[in-house]
Amino acid sequence: MQRPMAVSSGPAGTGLLQESFERAQFTHERSGFRYQVLRDGAQYLFEVEGAAGGRKIRVRRPMPYFIGSGMVARSYVFSLDGFLYQAPVAYYTGPRRWDLPPGYDPYPTPYLTRRILPGCLSCHASGPQLVARTQNRYRTPPFLEGGVSCERCHGPGAAHIKKVTAGDLEGGPAIVNPARLAPERRDSVCAQCHLTGAERVARAGRELDTFVAGDRLADYLTVFVRSGGAPGMRVTSHVEKLAQSACKRASGDRLWCGSCHDPHSVPKPSEKAAWFRAKCLGCHEASACRDEPARRRANGDDCTACHMPRSTVMDADHVVFTDHSIPRRPGRAAPPTPPPDAPLVRFDGAPATPRDLGIAYASLAGRERVAAYQQRAFELLREAVAAGARDPQALLHLAELYKNRGDEKSAIPLYEEAMRLDPEQVGASVALGAIRADRGQWKEAIRLFNDALTKNPALPGVRTALAMALFQTGEREAARAALEKALEFDPAYAPAHQLLQQLRREP
C-alpha cells in the first residue's frame, strides 16, 4: 500500500519521495563544516568535511535506510559495527533542500553518534530486529517491514488469517477495527505515535513496543503536559492540539482522528479541499462560516486553509505541519505557552503516581536544566522508591539526582540495584565506572566502562575515560586503541585527540 504511513521507512531511494540532488551541499554556519549528500548508483552517502581544534576532519559513510515518509521531511540511517545512527543530513520536501536534521544546529562539530533506538523505529517501521543486550545494534535488515504495517492498527493477524483460511467468518474477522473500540482504546491506536506531550514515561515493567491495538495506551506509558497554557506545535503533537480545539471540546468522544482521516486512503491534491470540507460539513453548516469575504474568496471552499493552517513547529526547522487546534478566528493571537517551569500534569487528567511524575520531572530537568524540576523530581522519586517503586528507571533517575548533589554514598547502591534488575541498561555502568575511576579503582572502572560500550559503543567520553583507566593500569596499547575507536565514532572529539597525542609523545 503506497500510503505515507505504509512507507515511513525503508531502503534509501525507495518510497513515495524522490529526493532532489540539485541542492545536496550546504555549510553549517556555526561550525564551518561542509556537508554533502551523494548518490552512487542506488546507494546514498553523506560526506562531512571541516576542521576542529586545528585538525582536518573528513567522514564519508553510506546511508542504506531512510526514516520518514517524505511528506514533510526524511531522515537517514548509517551503520558502524552493526550499530545504527542517524545521519547528520536530512531532506526537506517543501523547499526541496538538504540540511541538518532537527536539533543538530547547536552542535559545534558534526553530531555522528545519535542512536537509532527501538522507540524511533516503533513508529516508523514494523518488526525492529534489535540485538539483545544492546541499545541500537540491529540485524540486517534492521526491521522486517518498512513503514507502519496492518498489525499496528488492527492487532496480530495470525488469528484472522486462520479464520479466513478455514472459511470461518462467523462473528466477523478476528482483527481489531479501531472505530468499534471504546473511545479510550480507539484513540490509543493513534496516540501511540501522534501524542508527544512534554514527556512520555513508560510504566514500570512495560514497554511501548509491546502495545497491541485494542489496549489502553495509559497502561503502557503516561503522557505529561505542562499546565497553565497551550503548548506550541510539535511534529507529533496532533492529539494534544486536537484536544485544545473547540470542536473536540464540544464533540467529546464523538470526534477522533478517524473522523477526518482514512489511514488507507489519502485524497489527491486536487481533491483534498473538497474531501476535508465534506468532513467539516458533517458537523457544521456552510452558513456558519463568517470569515471575512476577502479571505473566503482567496481560499474558496478550503476550510482547512483558514481553520487548520499549516504552521511552523517548535522542534524542527524548514517544515510546517497542520494545526489541529482548529482555530476559530484565523490569525488571532495564540494562547500563551506555559512557562518553562510550569507544573506537569497527565494529559488525560488522571492523577499521576509519584514514580511517573518524578521520572518526568527528572527527564525534563536533565534536558532543560530547570532547577525547580530537579528538586521536584528528587522529592517525588525519593518518596516513590521508599514506598516500593524499585524498577530500574526510578532507581537510575534517583541515583543520578543523588550523584548530582554530591551524595555518592546514596547513589551507589541505587545504581547497583538498577544494574541487577536490568542488565541491558547503560547509564548505571557509566556512572559507577566514573565513581570507581575517581576513587582509583581502575580495574572495576574498566569492567564497568566495557560493559557500557558493548551495549552502546558510540560513547566517546566513556572510551576516553576507559583509556585513562587502561593507562593507569599500564595497558598503554589498549588505551591507544580505545582512543582511536572513540575518534572513529566522533572524529572531532577533542579530549580523545588530546589524550592520544599525550600517549604518543610519552615513551
Side-chain angles (χ1 to χ4, degrees), residues 37 72 102 254 274 319 332 345 372 386 400 435 452 455 476:
V37 182
V72 175
R254 290 179 298 158
V319 297
R332 177 172 290 181
V345 295
E400 194 68 14
I435 291 172
K455 303 162 190 172
R476 298 174 62 89

Side-chain angles (χ1 to χ4, degrees), residues 191-216:
Q192 61 178 310
C193 294
H194 291 275
L195 173 59
T196 303
E199 194 67 38
R200 289 160 62 110
V201 176
R203 303 294 296 272
R206 304 302 294 266
E207 296 291 341
L208 183 57
D209 59 7
T210 62
F211 173 88
V212 176
D215 290 346
R216 295 171 65 249

Side-chain angles (χ1 to χ4, degrees), residues 17-20 23 69-74 76 90-99 310 317-321:
L17 173 69
Q18 286 299 311
E19 303 92 336
S20 169
R23 302 169 65 186
S69 68
M71 293 291 289
V72 175
R74 178 174 280 181
Y76 300 83
Y91 185 76
Y92 295 91
T93 308
R96 294 176 61 81
R97 60 178 289 190
W98 296 84
D99 210 323
R310 293 176 65 78
D317 298 323
H318 317 303
V319 297
V320 292
F321 279 77

Side-chain angles (χ1 to χ4, degrees), residues 51-403:
R55 296 176 298 275
K56 291 185 177 180
I57 294 169
R58 182 174 179 270
V59 177
R60 176 187 280 201
R61 288 178 183 151
M63 304 187 299
Y65 303 102
F66 73 84
I67 295 177
S69 68
M71 293 291 289
V72 175
R74 178 174 280 181
S75 297
Y76 300 83
V77 175
F78 72 92
S79 173
L80 192 57
D81 295 345
F83 290 79
L84 298 188
Y85 304 91
Q86 183 175 353
V89 295
Y91 185 76
Y92 295 91
T93 308
R96 294 176 61 81
R97 60 178 289 190
W98 296 84
D99 210 323
L100 294 177
Y104 278 56
D105 181 69
Y107 291 94
T109 57
Y111 185 11
L112 302 173
T113 56
R114 185 174 186 178
R115 307 183 306 279
I116 301 294
L117 297 173
C120 172
L121 292 183
S122 68
C123 283
H124 288 280
S126 299
Q129 300 201 85
L130 181 70
V131 174
R133 300 197 69 170
T134 73
Q135 288 190 331
N136 61 313
R137 186 172 190 174
Y138 294 84
R139 300 181 183 87
T140 302
F143 38 78
L144 296 176
E145 185 176 351
V148 178
S149 71
C150 304
E151 293 188 341
R152 181 70 52 80
C153 302
H154 297 291
H160 170 64
I161 293 172
K162 183 177 180 180
K163 286 193 71 172
V164 172
T165 302
D168 176 20
L169 291 180
E170 184 177 351
I175 58 173
V176 173
N177 181 345
R180 296 179 181 175
L181 295 172
E184 184 181 11
R185 297 177 186 274
R186 173 199 70 193
D187 296 345
S188 292
V189 173
C190 304
Q192 61 178 310
C193 294
H194 291 275
L195 173 59
T196 303
E199 194 67 38
R200 289 160 62 110
V201 176
R203 303 294 296 272
R206 304 302 294 266
E207 296 291 341
L208 183 57
D209 59 7
T210 62
F211 173 88
V212 176
D215 290 346
R216 295 171 65 249
L217 186 62
D219 291 334
Y220 291 80
L221 58 83
T222 304
V223 179
F224 290 94
V225 296
R226 288 182 170 95
S227 62
M233 279 183 51
R234 297 181 182 274
V235 170
T236 54
S237 64
H238 310 91
V239 174
E240 188 178 354
K241 298 302 287 185
L242 181 63
Q244 298 168 21
S245 71
C247 291
K248 178 64 173 175
R249 294 197 304 270
S251 302
D253 289 335
R254 290 179 298 158
L255 178 63
W256 70 295
C257 303
S259 299
C260 302
H261 293 285
D262 181 350
H264 306 115
S265 175
V266 177
K268 297 177 182 178
S270 61
E271 302 170 352
K272 194 172 182 180
W275 167 280
F276 288 109
R277 177 177 172 79
K279 302 298 182 182
C280 296
L281 294 180
C283 296
H284 300 279
E285 296 290 339
S287 59
C289 186
R290 295 187 295 272
D291 281 343
E292 299 88 342
R295 190 187 301 275
R296 294 189 65 186
R297 285 196 300 271
N299 293 320
D301 289 335
D302 188 354
C303 302
T304 62
C306 286
H307 301 291
M308 300 187 73
R310 293 176 65 78
S311 306
T312 57
V313 292
M314 300 169 59
D315 51 348
D317 298 323
H318 317 303
V319 297
V320 292
F321 279 77
T322 299
D323 185 353
H324 281 73
S325 67
I326 319 176
R328 175 67 182 87
R329 292 296 182 190
R332 177 172 290 181
T337 57
D341 60 349
L344 297 179
V345 295
R346 281 183 58 153
F347 172 73
D348 59 11
T353 65
R355 180 260 182 197
D356 291 355
L357 188 55
I359 291 176
Y361 276 124
S363 180
L364 275 177
R367 191 165 65 246
E368 300 180 357
R369 309 301 182 199
V370 177
Y373 283 171
Q374 189 172 67
Q375 178 61 30
R376 190 75 178 114
F378 180 70
E379 295 168 353
L380 286 163
L381 286 173
R382 188 170 54 176
E383 173 192 347
V385 170
R390 308 197 73 85
D391 63 281
Q393 285 303 308
L395 295 169
L396 279 169
H397 280 290
L398 182 57
E400 194 68 14
L401 290 165
Y402 271 120
K403 182 171 178 283

Side-chain angles (χ1 to χ4, degrees), residues 478-496:
R480 288 194 182 95
L483 293 168
E484 289 168 354
K485 193 66 177 178
L487 294 172
E488 183 180 351
F489 283 100
D490 186 354
Y493 189 65

